[in-house]
Amino acid sequence: VICEPVVGNMGCVAPVEGFLQGLRDLCTRNNAVLIFDEVMTGFRLSLGGAQERFGVMPDLTTLGKVIGGGLPVGAYGGSAELMKVVAPVGPMYQAGTLSGNPLGMAAGLAQLGFLRDHPDVYTKLEKDGDTLANAVTSHIREKGYPCTHNHVGSMGTVFFHESSVNSWDDAARCDTARFAKWFWYLMERGVYMPCAQFEAYFHSNAHDVEQIEETARVMCEGLDHVFGNGS
């Protein structure tokens, strides 16, 4: 079973309570491998990724360029039982052009070491994420707009859908034309969101409080523009 523990590739969708543990229990009972795709969530939602945040341990984890400090590299890892299948210990051969690339490894060590030594990074990301989400969600509710805002830590998505979005079926019913109008309004005012309704946005530790608040203001103004209440 392969999943994003917090989905980013249909917009930000958090797991409902018990879902990840349910997958873990199901795989354990059936001797199946549980794989978490933490390309987006790894080192973003916590130092230990989504599996640390939600307290559910997969058998294998995949990670993207975050593990190389943003440089082009990926990695996977998991239980000793499974990793012993990989050469040179086991029969499954795996190699890649960027495997063990010195520049990527040095950047990754520097980045991950910084995150380990500065846990306040995650405190700030959580606080800023709540500030942004609360402002946008409050505006949506106050105006009664047919859209919803999902967020987990520093991941988020405004879905142009009148009900909550908890699955792909929900996300697929979003008004993508309205999203596009909102996206271009934000772009023209210096706020760069993902250009598709089905991608999560991220803020970073580099954004200060004023930038977070300005982003929230422009996002809300964009909603007014989309729904005909703007100037």
Side-chain angles (χ1 to χ4, degrees):
V1 175
I2 306 174
C3 72
E4 291 180 289
V6 173
V7 181
N9 278 303
M10 62 186 185
C12 178
V13 178
V16 297
E17 186 175 355
F19 176 75
L20 295 178
Q21 187 59 53
L23 288 181
R24 174 68 278 169
D25 295 342
L26 186 67
C27 289
T28 300
R29 285 198 306 269
N30 290 278
N31 196 31
V33 175
L34 177 61
I35 303 173
F36 279 0
D37 173 350
E38 294 231 40
V39 169
M40 290 193 189
T41 56
F43 304 106
R44 175 172 275 119
L45 297 186
S46 73
L47 185 61
Q51 56 198 264
E52 178 183 287
R53 187 181 182 111
F54 294 99
V56 177
M57 185 67 67
D59 300 300
L60 283 174
T61 301
T62 63
L63 295 162
K65 55 187 176 290
V66 64
I67 205 168
L71 291 171
V73 66
Y76 63 91
S79 67
E81 178 186 6
L82 292 176
M83 296 305 290
K84 286 178 180 177
V85 176
V86 184
V89 178
M92 190 199 83
Y93 183 72
Q94 183 272 329
T97 302
L98 294 169
S99 294
N101 176 271
L103 182 60
M105 298 304 96
L109 282 171
Q111 177 65 66
L112 301 184
F114 180 88
L115 292 175
R116 178 198 61 205
D117 296 337
H118 297 81
D120 54 301
V121 167
Y122 293 103
T123 303
K124 181 180 183 300
L125 288 174
E126 289 290 323
K127 183 178 180 180
D128 289 347
D130 288 342
T131 296
L132 186 60
N134 290 340
V136 175
T137 298
S138 295
H139 191 75
I140 289 171
R141 290 174 178 170
E142 178 185 345
K143 298 289 187 176
Y145 292 146
C147 48
T148 189
H149 183 272
N150 286 2
H151 101 284
V152 180
S154 58
M155 299 174 64
T157 300
V158 174
F159 290 101
F160 284 76
H161 187 287
E162 60 186 355
S163 302
S164 60
V165 174
N166 299 304
S167 68
W168 166 247
D169 288 341
D170 296 336
R173 289 193 287 269
C174 287
D175 189 333
T176 55
R178 275 180 167 162
F179 177 89
K181 186 177 180 181
W182 182 69
F183 166 81
W184 284 113
Y185 183 94
L186 269 59
M187 275 285 286
E188 291 167 1
R189 286 152 184 83
V191 175
Y192 185 23
M193 286 285 162
C195 58
Q197 172 69 96
F198 309 115
E199 289 288 342
Y201 72 74
F202 312 116
H203 66 270
S204 79
N205 198 54
H207 294 106
D208 60 29
V209 174
E210 290 74 19
Q211 289 170 327
I212 293 293
E213 292 176 347
E214 173 68 7
T215 298
R217 184 186 67 79
V218 174
M219 289 170 72
C220 293
E221 287 182 353
L223 292 171
D224 293 340
H225 173 72
V226 168
F227 292 106
N229 295 321
S231 58

